[in-house]
Amino acid sequence: MRYAIRLAQKAEAQGEIPVGAVLVRDEQAIAEGWNIPVQSHDPTAHAEMLALRKGGLVLENYRLIDSTLYVTLEPCVMCMGAISHARVKRLVFGAFDPKRGAVCNALSLTDAAFLNHRVAWQGGILEHECADLLLDFFKRKRKPKR
């Protein structure tokens, strides 16, 4: 998770919302990503999506069986759909997202009956560090300019 936080800081340095993701298999990081939707003009360029895409290329398979995805923020509905379709075994995230989180907050897609894959998950890992990145980012963004 600490590595995902460093990736989130890369996103922030580029003016993006600070979210980072690392895909791990056999205890080895195989792919990573950080938010870049603004600079890439791509609404799907979330950290999780980029890590999943790169992981598929590394494994030469769209199914990322036996992998774990570490992400600094509870994934949104788009990312949870992709995580499920990719057959990620386990999801570990830092900060909870009460408004848009699709793991256990706004939606609970890990338990959705219409999905044929169940993703094991654990949230709240380094929660305060992950949440503080986001809170500080949005405080600076909303601070009036003089």
Side-chain angles (χ1 to χ4, degrees), residues 60-138:
E60 297 181 336
N61 195 332
Y62 73 102
R63 293 211 169 146
L64 307 174
I65 309 286
D66 294 326
S67 65
T68 298
L69 183 66
Y70 294 86
V71 62
T72 57
L73 178 64
E74 178 181 354
C76 70
V77 64
M78 172 185 67
C79 292
M80 272 312 300
I83 290 165
S84 178
H85 285 294
R87 306 297 196 271
V88 170
K89 181 177 185 175
R90 185 168 170 250
L91 169 68
V92 179
F93 64 88
F96 291 87
D97 187 347
K99 292 182 181 177
R100 287 169 287 287
V103 176
C104 60
N105 276 291
L107 291 171
S108 296
L109 291 183
T110 55
D111 299 325
F114 63 88
L115 292 174
N116 64 352
H117 176 70
R118 300 288 174 263
V119 179
W121 65 274
Q122 181 178 5
I125 305 303
L126 299 178
E127 178 179 2
H128 296 295
E129 288 181 50
C130 294
D132 286 348
L133 271 174
L134 292 157
L135 291 169
D136 293 345
F137 173 81
F138 285 112

